Amino acid sequence: MDVEGPVLPRSIPIEKQHSNERLKRDSRFLRGTLEQSLIDPVTGAVTASDGLLTKFFGIYQQDDRELRDERRRAKLEPKYQFMVRVRLPGGVCTPAQWLALDALAQEYAGNTLRLTTRQTFQFHHISKRQLRAHIRGIYAAGLDTIAACGDDNRNVICTANPLQSPAHAEVSNLARRIGERLLPRTGAYREVFLGTPSGSLPDDEEPVYGSTYLPRTFKIALAVPPQNDIDVFAHDLGFVAVVEGGEIAGYTVCVGGGMGMTHKVSATFPRLSEVIGFCTSSEVLEIAEQSMCIQRDYGDRVDRAHARFKYTIEDRGTNWFCDELARRRGRALQPARPFIFETSADRPGWMQGADGRWHYTLFIENGRLSDLPGRSLLTGLRAIAGVHRGVFALTTNQNVTVAGITDADRPAIEALLRTHGIANDIRASALRQNSMACVALPTCALAMAEAERYLPSLINRLDDIVFDAGLADTPISIRMSGCPNGCPRPYLAEIALVGKAPGRYNLYLGASVRGDRLNALYRENIAEPQILDELGILLRRYAEEREPGEPFGDFTVRTSIVPAMLAGRDFQR
Amino acid sequence: MVSAWERDEWTHAPFDAAAVERLRSLIAGLDASQRLWLSGYLAGSAVVFGGHTPSLSSNGALTQSASAPRFTVTILYGSQSGNSERVARLLHDKLKERQIESTLLDMMDCRKSHLQAAQKLVVIVSTRGDGEPPERALPLHELVHSPKISRLEHLSYCVLALGDSSYEKVCETERQLDARLEALGAKRIRTLEECDVEFEMPARRWVDEVLPLVGAQPGAGTIPQTSESESRTAKISTAYTRRNPFHANILVNQRLTGRESSKDVRHIELSLEGSHIHYEPGDAIGVVPRNHPNAVDALLDGSKLDAAAPVRVDSQTVDLRRALLDHFDIGPVNPPLLTRYAAAVESPQLTELCESPDRMRRYLYGRHLVDVLREHPPTMLNAADFAQLLRPLAPRLYSIASSQRAATDEAHLTVSVVEYDSFQVRRRGVVSNLLASLGAGSATAPIYLHRNAGFRLPADPRTPVVMVGPGTGVAPFRAFLAEREIVGGGGRNWLFFGDRTFESDFLYQSEWLDARNRGVLTRIDVAFSRDQADKIYVQDRLRENGAAVWAWLQEGAHFYLCGDAGRMASDVHAALLDIAKNHGALTDEQAIEYVTRMQRDRRFQKDVY
């Protein structure tokens, strides 16, 4: 390999590393005993170690936590089920793919689909018996689930809708190419889930990753200013397109962002990435790979809570990183170029793209696609997919853009949106339209409190305040997470509620709408009455005292309600 | 008579010659079941007494061992994050440095027997949330609050709580546990210690303080000489019968089927404390039946019979209502009863019906006595004449689902609650509904032991066994497996289980999984009839695994079948014949001969009902 020189942390004997490292090494490139686990009819689960390996293939073993205790008493194992996440670089799929995934949701996944905060689809409630058939169904649609979780490069995300402009298309294409380049090469997925034998097992099946893959996940995001819908600073590696006269001149590179933390453990914190320079389009693939390889070699493999790239950058500094990157590439980055972000929100509704075609961004509350009385999102989008001739572009704010609609086709799409009751509700507050929540209970093993099932009703109550204060049309971002790991990027929300225990949340305030400032802890471990009281006071005060155009997050910092949280290391101090 | 094997064993026995003589003559006077019971008693007492077993000297007197008595320290931990486990390990290691053995145990895995065997108990729990016990602590929480645990006087204990003061009800669970242990008679050796999020230093200090406390010898009188073990030696058996039943406390009444199941199957634990009932795997418990008052009243209402009229039952006189409650079957009607009834009420219509067995059968399908009476009222009959026609109410036998060596003073039953509708009326099985209605901790069930000598484990614990037990037929195999585990011997165990759905009808699923993980359950194959388009049953799984089943049989395996006497039993029997033919290369006749010989040799035993 290309590494020489300094003694790497990797050289710590594997026996002293986290047990997951041995597990990966001994798994024969992620095969483990998955084959036996999947056919064992006595349990709906796979073994604990196989459960870690399936993550590399976007498959999470979960169980219905609300039934756990009842079933334990009944001497039944937990109601195990699998969550399956599709790899969808850039978040783009065709209408045919949409229909295929929708059919799989009906057949195996409890008739519901979820759009994630990383621009892809997620299925829930899949039983072990049906898991292989489900994965094969996804594959038959020209998609897969490889590296949708696990210690590898995750789904590469980018500013939504490739059809908005040629620059957007180029960035979307680049996201796809990065995803391909950093895709694990193991034949385990084909063998175990698709039933295609790989023949003999090569020793160097993973020339880039090696047998122990990465210390933890690695996340890459690409933004096209002035939109920062993807929260580019929230990821391990970010590329911000520099668009000059409609053409992409290159990318500003930033490293070391990430959301996750553990409550009250001050050594863990969300961190925004730092700008380290500029590169041309042709250098992006190499920089992505080399950055990932630096983390592969220097990331902490002993303490998984400290294993993310953001801590490697925090501990060693960006100067070290730039030097190491330059050493590996044989040349340094160019000086960074300026860029301006205006918002991290999506723009719901109709807009016209550079080529004259139309795009409709449909607000999906918490990304949940299902058929509810009066709002048949699943059926409605199925009907649209049946006639649509463009693409579907998923956003990292859990919405979907029906993209590339000609003037001629627009009335038909509009009619379908209306007849299925799914068109954006013009009466919905801007607060609701800027809300996000993770899945949390009952399936997520990490959740300490409700999120997706609770946030809509909390917003019903907050809406009373917001409408009353005249803030119905003022976009204020609110994000709820069932645990501090931060899937819905809560630490970049103007209002964040992070679960501590059933019904109890930490309240954070003060992030910027541009995605370049974290929020700060305002109240700890509070329940709904206090949440409503505290936010009621602040929102009314904001309505009266805000400066023209001043977002809520900026207001709370300017008026010293919370301090400006500039560095992650201060987040839990 | 003493076999050569027994002689050899005695030469290595840890007794002097005089003690050997006394023991051998004592044992020689015991029959097989008494020997089996005694072996279980001794094995059980080893658990209860721990390392502090009094030893038998040559003069036969029980004496305390000369060396310093050892005692057991049990460290229970429970957490999601692993913090309490780390503290538990620290204590464990430090005790080890002082040559004090301790047992580390996850709260999830703590059973009644652990609390009975422990003398010093250290509990370390970390909680978050608002006073609800954390998931891993729930089983222990439930156990100490259940009727299964009445006293813990032999126990000394202390509790460490790792909490998070940002929660309102921090350490609530630990406080409750600490108080409950005291209420049960356990002796608190240190007050509850509560730590906040920064627990490392205080927890280390606590460990150092607790060390001398749990490391100290227990005071006199703390050796668990439970009254239960003493009373057990007093009598070997007492004959409880249907007429003289033992009233067993209900300790657990737990539904086993998941919420989406079409069936209600219960796991019922009965307390045999004070009964001197000693059972063996394969035995059954008879439950004295009693009709539901509503069913009796419905029958009386429909019949216009005088509920207070005297009726003779077993040389006693009781009123009709009492007789119907306790003595007569008022459920489904069989052809002889209908014929008797038709004659007694002189109904031409019924008499005509009874002339054709076929029509009679069709008429009786789904009808209970109450329906017949409603359609053909007993106008000509008085209460005594009516009662004379009826069949006695039969007791219901349930295979015991526990091994007494493991469950000591408990007997477990697996009860399918029979409920169905016919003629728009809800019908309920008499005994299963009686049992299902009994609340744990308050109610008792009238029971007696029913020996089932025809359904017994192999005498040699090394012999492999194949067990086929679909539905509640799996009950005795739960007992078999527990028995084989505690006896040891290493014999392989293979279970075939079947039911409707994997998700909701897999009776005792988590126990089978645990047993498989421990290596006791060598193989388990399952058939769920409603999980796919084609119905799959246990006999299909037997055939699929025919080669392996045949190999086990060739190695001397015993083959057991328990469950529904209807189609399943004959289908499994047929599958066994097929296996003998296909994998043993036997002709039809030879296969029949083979299976018959297995039955004759008691290698193939059935308990079907």
Side-chain angles (χ1 to χ4, degrees):
Chain A
M1 242 171 282
D2 50 1
V3 180
E4 51 184 41
V7 180
L8 304 176
R10 235 188 164 181
S11 60
I12 293 171
I14 198 156
E15 291 69 32
K16 296 199 170 154
Q17 295 178 10
H18 192 275
S19 58
N20 283 19
E21 297 300 319
R22 250 164 299 151
L23 176 79
K24 285 183 272 184
R25 184 196 63 184
D26 297 339
S27 71
R28 295 174 301 125
F29 296 104
L30 311 178
R31 286 166 180 83
T33 55
L34 268 171
E35 196 72 49
Q36 296 93 296
S37 267
L38 288 177
I39 59 171
D40 180 359
V42 186
T43 169
V46 298
T47 65
S49 36
D50 287 335
L52 291 171
L53 299 179
T54 60
K55 291 188 178 185
F56 288 77
F57 306 125
I59 299 165
Y60 277 70
Q61 181 173 301
Q62 304 183 322
D63 72 279
D64 187 331
R65 292 173 56 183
E66 283 171 347
L67 295 180
R68 215 180 255 182
D69 207 53
E70 174 182 314
R71 290 180 64 90
R72 176 182 59 75
R73 274 187 256 262
K75 302 177 190 292
L76 291 166
E77 70 174 9
K79 187 166 175 178
Y80 288 115
Q81 48 191 278
F82 291 83
M83 183 269 270
V84 171
R85 196 181 280 154
V86 176
R87 183 172 69 90
L88 199 70
V92 182
C93 78
T94 65
Q97 286 172 330
W98 185 284
L99 289 172
L101 297 179
D102 171 73
L104 290 168
Q106 292 178 65
E107 187 166 2
Y108 301 119
N111 209 23
T112 174
L113 259 175
R114 199 170 191 282
L115 309 182
T116 77
T117 58
R118 289 190 55 82
Q119 227 168 16
T120 187
F121 297 93
Q122 202 166 280
F123 298 88
H124 288 266
H125 316 302
I126 295 160
S127 73
K128 189 173 82 172
R129 280 184 294 135
Q130 300 183 313
L131 186 56
R132 277 176 159 150
H134 182 72
I135 299 289
R136 283 172 199 177
I138 292 170
Y139 192 70
L143 297 167
D144 62 57
T145 64
I146 302 172
C149 176
D151 301 339
D152 44 30
N153 176 51
R154 300 284 185 84
N155 196 41
V156 180
I157 60 176
C158 72
T159 293
N161 192 5
L163 303 185
Q164 190 174 323
S165 77
H168 284 79
E170 190 179 326
V171 170
S172 180
N173 188 39
L174 186 57
R176 184 179 302 275
R177 286 166 57 216
I178 297 171
E180 289 299 329
R181 171 88 166 240
L182 302 183
L183 193 65
R185 302 282 176 240
T186 173
Y189 187 75
R190 284 192 306 279
E191 291 163 32
V192 173
F193 292 101
L194 305 177
T196 320
S198 292
S200 61
L201 183 65
D203 291 338
D204 58 346
E205 208 173 6
E206 296 285 8
V208 173
Y209 284 106
S211 65
T212 52
Y213 293 80
L214 302 182
R216 284 291 294 259
T217 171
F218 194 77
K219 292 173 178 169
I220 303 178
L222 295 85
V224 185
Q227 263 185 295
N228 188 21
D229 53 340
I230 54 150
D231 279 327
V232 74
F233 304 117
H235 307 276
D236 294 299
L237 180 61
F239 294 97
V240 182
V242 177
V243 186
E244 290 170 356
E247 302 271 312
I248 292 183
Y251 294 85
T252 299
V253 184
C254 29
V255 295
M259 288 282 103
M261 64 158 197
T262 307
H263 280 311
K264 294 208 159 200
V265 178
S266 58
T268 68
F269 45 83
R271 187 182 192 278
L272 296 186
S273 62
E274 295 168 78
V275 171
I276 58 166
F278 172 88
C279 70
T280 63
S281 301
S282 61
E283 292 176 303
V284 168
L285 287 181
E286 187 197 14
I287 288 167
E289 180 171 313
Q290 291 300 352
S291 299
M292 188 182 90
C293 288
I294 292 171
Q295 169 61 2
R296 175 196 66 193
D297 299 337
Y298 287 91
D300 189 339
R301 287 180 188 260
V302 177
D303 178 6
R304 271 182 80 80
H306 186 254
R308 289 184 188 262
F309 187 46
K310 64 181 174 186
Y311 299 117
T312 310
I313 297 294
E314 177 75 18
D315 295 347
R316 293 173 182 266
T318 49
N319 287 341
W320 164 83
F321 179 78
C322 289
D323 290 348
E324 180 65 19
L325 183 64
R327 194 182 64 75
R328 293 184 184 220
R329 295 175 61 227
R331 64 180 177 285
L333 294 172
Q334 298 172 42
R337 303 204 189 167
F339 53 86
I340 292 171
F341 284 135
E342 287 171 2
T343 178
S344 54
D346 289 345
R347 193 162 46 167
W350 289 102
M351 72 167 290
Q352 198 165 22
D355 64 357
R357 283 191 286 173
W358 291 94
H359 315 293
Y360 185 80
T361 299
L362 179 59
F363 169 64
I364 314 276
E365 191 158 23
N366 301 326
R368 176 62 68 189
L369 297 174
S370 59
D371 285 344
L372 297 173
R375 191 166 165 80
S376 306
L377 274 169
L378 211 53
T379 306
L381 281 160
R382 185 183 310 140
I384 289 171
V387 301
H388 181 44
R389 291 188 286 179
V391 297
F392 289 94
L394 276 47
T395 83
T396 54
N397 290 316
Q398 302 176 311
N399 301 316
V400 61
T401 302
V402 185
I405 303 166
T406 61
D407 279 328
D409 289 342
R410 186 172 156 170
I413 301 285
E414 279 182 326
L416 288 171
L417 288 168
R418 256 196 324 276
T419 51
H420 290 94
I422 60 173
N424 293 333
D425 184 352
I426 49 165
R427 291 158 305 168
S429 66
L431 179 73
R432 188 183 299 277
Q433 298 207 19
N434 284 281
S435 68
M436 274 212 275
C438 65
V439 177
L441 296 169
T443 52
C444 179
L446 303 171
M448 300 168 173
E450 294 283 354
E452 176 190 335
R453 297 194 300 189
Y454 169 52
L455 183 59
S457 69
L458 180 68
I459 291 179
N460 288 346
R461 276 154 222 141
L462 287 172
D463 268 354
D464 292 343
I465 300 165
V466 158
F467 278 88
D468 187 52
L471 297 170
D473 299 321
T474 307
I476 300 170
S477 64
I478 178 167
R479 298 176 183 177
M480 178 176 276
S481 180
C483 81
N485 288 304
C487 294
R489 303 187 293 279
Y491 312 112
L492 283 167
E494 294 174 282
I495 301 169
L497 292 157
V498 176
K500 286 258 331 188
R504 298 194 161 258
Y505 298 84
N506 281 0
L507 172 62
Y508 299 85
L509 300 171
S512 84
V513 293
R514 302 162 297 278
D516 56 6
R517 184 183 62 235
L518 295 166
N519 51 26
L521 181 62
Y522 181 63
R523 290 287 183 267
E524 194 176 4
N525 210 18
I526 58 175
E528 184 174 291
Q530 203 185 340
I531 294 171
L532 293 175
D533 284 351
E534 300 281 2
L535 287 176
I537 292 164
L538 295 175
L539 287 167
R540 286 191 194 94
R541 193 175 147 197
Y542 167 63
E544 284 170 18
E545 298 176 20
R546 65 181 158 163
E547 291 177 349
E550 185 181 36
F552 181 63
D554 292 352
F555 168 80
T556 53
V557 170
R558 178 177 62 79
T559 55
S560 300
I561 292 164
V562 287
M565 186 55 64
L566 299 174
R569 69 187 78 91
D570 297 328
F571 194 82
Q572 295 221 72
R573 284 199 181 145
Chain B
M1 208 187 93
V2 178
S3 69
W5 177 80
E6 280 180 307
R7 256 196 311 276
D8 286 351
E9 288 300 306
W10 282 112
T11 57
H12 301 293
F15 305 104
D16 60 32
V20 166
E21 208 38 60
R22 289 168 61 88
L23 282 168
R24 275 175 54 181
S25 69
L26 184 68
I27 292 167
L30 303 178
D31 69 20
S33 76
Q34 287 171 325
R35 285 181 191 205
L36 201 65
W37 179 83
L38 187 63
S39 66
Y41 166 72
L42 290 173
S45 69
V47 175
V48 175
F49 285 110
H52 189 71
T53 314
S55 66
L56 187 64
S57 74
S58 58
N59 64 10
L62 287 171
T63 58
Q64 299 292 318
S65 155
S67 62
R70 287 184 297 138
F71 55 93
T72 56
V73 178
T74 300
I75 307 171
L76 276 179
Y77 61 88
S79 72
Q80 311 281 10
S81 60
N83 290 341
S84 65
E85 186 179 348
R86 277 206 299 282
V87 179
R89 285 195 186 282
L90 179 71
L91 177 61
H92 177 71
D93 294 345
K94 291 206 167 185
L95 282 169
K96 207 174 200 171
E97 285 168 17
R98 301 181 165 210
Q99 268 105 44
I100 296 167
E101 284 303 311
S102 60
T103 310
L104 268 180
L105 193 64
D106 188 330
M107 280 189 166
M108 277 290 262
D109 302 322
C110 182
R111 303 282 175 269
K112 178 180 162 184
S113 57
H114 294 119
L115 294 183
Q116 286 175 329
Q119 287 162 265
K120 303 262 180 158
L121 183 72
V122 180
V123 187
I124 304 171
V125 206
S126 58
T127 56
R128 57 168 184 240
D130 261 352
E132 287 294 303
E135 216 162 67
R136 300 192 80 76
L138 251 185
L140 180 73
H141 192 82
E142 286 166 10
L143 180 65
V144 296
H145 285 93
S146 83
K148 286 175 73 109
I149 302 275
S150 47
R151 302 302 292 163
L152 288 173
E153 271 139 356
H154 66 280
L155 204 62
S156 321
Y157 75 98
C158 59
V159 181
L160 171 69
L162 308 178
D164 176 343
S165 57
S166 65
Y167 296 103
E168 243 173 69
K169 293 183 184 162
V170 56
C171 300
E172 182 67 21
T173 301
E174 294 89 336
R175 284 174 206 159
Q176 284 175 10
L177 186 65
D178 188 63
R180 180 68 187 161
L181 289 173
E182 187 184 35
L184 288 168
K187 180 167 163 274
R188 187 188 289 115
I189 52 175
R190 192 191 185 288
T191 49
L192 171 71
E193 175 82 17
E194 299 181 11
C195 299
D196 203 352
V197 180
E198 301 293 327
F199 68 91
E200 293 279 357
M201 283 318 294
R204 279 179 179 278
R205 267 201 307 276
W206 179 85
V207 165
D208 290 335
E209 282 175 40
V210 159
L211 265 177
L213 296 174
V214 294
Q217 305 294 346
T222 57
I223 300 154
Q225 197 99 25
T226 64
S227 57
E228 163 210 334
S229 342
E230 282 161 11
S231 62
R232 263 224 206 159
T233 53
K235 276 181 182 176
I236 297 229
S237 71
T238 307
Y240 291 105
T241 62
R242 182 185 174 182
R243 283 182 216 298
N244 173 34
F246 174 70
H247 292 274
N249 280 312
I250 306 288
L251 299 175
V252 171
N253 176 351
Q254 167 64 47
R255 183 178 156 122
L256 289 175
T257 39
R259 56 166 69 177
E260 277 153 47
S261 175
S262 51
K263 297 193 286 189
D264 180 0
V265 177
R266 302 296 179 92
H267 173 73
I268 291 181
E269 299 188 0
L270 304 169
S271 171
L272 301 183
E273 210 180 319
S275 73
H276 311 304
I277 289 177
H278 304 294
Y279 62 87
E280 292 170 36
D283 282 343
I285 288 283
V287 180
V288 179
R290 186 164 203 256
N291 283 312
H292 198 280
N294 293 353
V296 169
D297 292 340
L299 183 95
L300 288 168
D301 284 353
S303 69
K304 309 282 187 287
L305 288 161
D306 179 6
V311 167
R312 270 193 87 67
V313 184
D314 301 335
S315 69
Q316 280 182 312
T317 304
V318 296
D319 66 49
L320 177 62
R321 186 164 185 278
R322 166 74 28 209
L324 292 175
L325 280 170
D326 289 337
H327 298 284
F328 294 113
D329 189 340
I330 59 168
V333 178
N334 67 357
L337 171 58
L338 188 68
T339 312
R340 284 200 301 275
Y341 184 74
V345 298
E346 295 174 24
S347 155
Q349 208 188 336
L350 268 186
T351 309
E352 193 203 330
L353 187 75
C354 290
E355 278 158 15
S356 158
D358 220 42
R359 279 186 55 210
M360 186 156 56
R361 211 160 287 130
R362 252 179 293 142
Y363 170 75
L364 288 177
Y365 185 80
R367 275 188 170 81
H368 281 208
L369 188 59
V370 64
D371 306 307
V372 177
L373 260 58
R374 208 166 275 152
E375 289 160 17
H376 306 279
T379 42
M380 329 260 303
L381 292 178
N382 66 29
D385 294 340
F386 171 71
Q388 247 184 353
L389 301 171
L390 301 180
R391 294 184 297 161
L393 187 54
R396 177 70 165 86
L397 298 177
Y398 289 98
S399 299
I400 299 175
S402 54
S403 151
Q404 198 159 24
R405 292 178 199 236
T408 60
D409 54 4
E410 298 172 2
H412 303 174
L413 308 181
T414 313
V415 177
S416 183
V417 184
V418 178
E419 268 192 307
Y420 59 94
D421 290 325
S422 65
F423 299 97
Q424 288 86 48
V425 181
R426 182 111 278 225
R427 319 283 181 169
R428 294 186 168 89
V430 174
V431 177
S432 62
N433 280 277
L434 175 76
L435 287 172
S437 71
L438 299 176
S442 51
T444 62
I447 60 144
Y448 57 94
L449 180 65
H450 175 88
R451 296 249 174 237
N452 189 6
F455 204 70
R456 286 285 182 258
L457 277 167
D460 185 345
R462 291 167 300 184
T463 307
V465 299
V466 178
M467 302 166 281
V468 183
T472 54
V474 84
F477 303 133
R478 185 174 179 267
F480 276 23
L481 204 65
E483 179 84 1
R484 302 251 292 179
E485 178 163 23
I486 213 159
V487 167
R492 289 172 298 148
N493 303 294
W494 187 352
L495 176 68
F496 286 87
F497 176 77
D499 214 304
R500 287 181 181 165
T501 68
F502 169 80
E503 210 148 87
S504 299
D505 302 308
F506 197 163
L507 307 182
Y508 300 110
Q509 180 192 20
S510 57
E511 293 189 0
W512 307 130
L513 284 166
D514 289 346
R516 189 174 70 166
N517 284 339
R518 291 196 305 272
V520 193
L521 184 56
T522 320
R523 283 189 72 163
I524 170 168
D525 284 274
V526 289
F528 294 100
S529 58
R530 300 196 180 174
D531 278 351
Q532 60 282 309
D534 305 326
K535 298 237 164 144
I536 297 173
Y537 297 106
V538 280
Q539 56 268 26
D540 301 311
R541 294 291 183 229
L542 274 169
R543 285 199 178 85
E544 283 169 26
N545 292 285
V549 171
W550 181 250
W552 279 53
L553 293 178
Q554 291 306 99
E555 289 158 31
H558 284 211
F559 189 95
Y560 298 89
L561 168 63
C562 181
D564 175 24
R567 258 182 61 191
M568 188 279 294
S570 53
D571 287 346
V572 168
H573 197 106
L576 192 56
L577 286 172
D578 282 352
I579 288 169
K581 279 190 287 189
N582 297 336
H583 300 281
L586 302 182
T587 64
D588 286 0
E589 291 74 24
Q590 287 169 326
I592 291 168
E593 165 61 22
Y594 180 86
V595 171
T596 312
R597 200 171 57 242
M598 277 182 70
Q599 285 179 290
R600 220 171 32 232
D601 297 347
R602 327 228 338 113
R603 281 184 53 214
F604 176 17
Q605 300 184 18
K606 290 186 197 179
D607 180 12
V608 295
Y609 39 84

